[in-house]
Amino acid sequence: MTTINNHLSDAILMAYSAATLPEAFSLMVATHISLCDECRARVESFDAVGGAVLEETTVETVKLSGDALAATMALISAGAAEPAAPKPARKASILPAPLQDYVGGDVENIKWRSVGMGVKQAILPTSKAASARLLLIPAGAAMPDHGHKGIEMTMVLQGAFIDDGERFGRGDVEIADSDLDHTPVADIGEDCICLAVTDGPLQFKSLLPKIAQPFLRI
Ligand code: ZN
Ligand code: ZN
């Protein structure tokens, strides 16, 4: 079990629970909580609060008849008594299930496009409000130096990267905003694969990536 040190904020987990996030950020949360028990528990508690609020408003309008209530209770207790389904044995995947739905499989199904300097990306099909992409940074290589117009969240799926002296491993999320100029460098030993979502186009510092930017949609 890997230890996750860098989590999502309550604000974004709450927005996820309320289903108000753009698709790309929803995908980020779904992917993170599939690896992170801590954030998943927080989402479940927000879901419960949201459900309770919903229930309060419906109970006033819909009065359950005694029979319906008994039937519901019977269903609940039947559900509770059911043994947990055994987990199917399968090889450990790099991409958590929410991402596999977008890619149509695991890492071998990702359609990479070169961004230069060995870095590759694959843009995922999401609504235009925000963008989501997978990034592959070769072991020991750096992401092009860039700033941000909006918020960027980057979560590690394979390998690790180091940014400003901090190490981000599988499941860790780095959150960058317009105040941060950064150059994440992939850890040596393994190529780093990340999921990156952003609500604004990145601003690349050096000329070449800037020219390529409109073509690469990053
Ligand atoms: Zn977490
Ligand atoms: Zn960035």
Side-chain angles (χ1 to χ4, degrees):
M1 191 70 206
T2 48
T3 315
I4 298 173
N5 296 312
N6 297 276
H7 299 273
L8 294 169
S9 66
D10 276 344
I12 193 157
L13 295 177
M14 248 180 249
Y16 174 80
S17 173
T20 57
L21 288 175
E23 186 181 0
F25 284 91
S26 261
L27 175 59
M28 170 60 79
V29 177
T31 304
H32 181 75
I33 64 175
S34 71
L35 296 178
C36 179
D37 294 338
E38 202 177 308
C39 289
R40 186 170 55 245
R42 277 151 70 203
V43 166
E44 279 164 6
S45 67
F46 295 137
D47 286 350
V49 171
V53 170
L54 202 69
E55 215 164 84
E56 250 171 49
T57 50
T58 44
V59 160
E60 283 175 17
T61 46
V62 184
K63 282 256 188 304
L64 284 179
S65 73
D67 283 355
L69 184 62
T72 307
M73 295 314 288
L75 271 177
I76 291 168
S77 57
E82 228 168 69
K87 286 200 175 140
R90 57 174 186 175
K91 73 175 175 75
S93 42
I94 307 281
L95 299 184
L99 272 177
Q100 295 210 12
D101 293 344
Y102 280 80
V103 169
D106 206 355
V107 267
E108 60 272 14
N109 299 94
I110 302 172
K111 291 176 185 70
W112 293 114
R113 296 186 65 170
S114 180
V115 189
M117 290 167 279
V119 178
K120 293 178 190 171
Q121 72 167 3
I123 293 169
L124 302 175
T126 60
S127 67
K128 289 211 165 60
S131 69
R133 64 213 153 93
L134 291 163
L135 281 169
L136 186 149
I137 311 167
M143 266 279 282
D145 191 18
H146 62 277
H148 311 93
K149 269 185 179 156
I151 285 183
E152 179 195 55
M153 295 185 185
T154 310
M155 188 176 102
V156 176
L157 300 164
Q158 175 189 288
F161 68 77
I162 290 110
D163 196 7
D164 206 17
E166 199 172 353
R167 187 178 190 277
F168 296 83
R170 180 167 165 87
D172 280 323
V173 182
E174 182 186 46
I175 300 172
D177 62 19
S178 43
D179 298 332
L180 183 76
D181 263 17
H182 67 157
T183 310
V185 177
D187 205 359
I188 50 167
E190 196 174 11
D191 291 349
C192 180
I193 296 176
C194 305
L195 169 66
V197 304
T198 178
D199 63 353
L202 305 187
Q203 299 174 303
F204 281 98
K205 295 290 169 196
S206 58
L207 191 60
L208 189 67
K210 197 174 266 175
I211 291 168
Q213 198 172 351
F215 302 101
L216 300 167
R217 290 173 54 206
I218 58 173

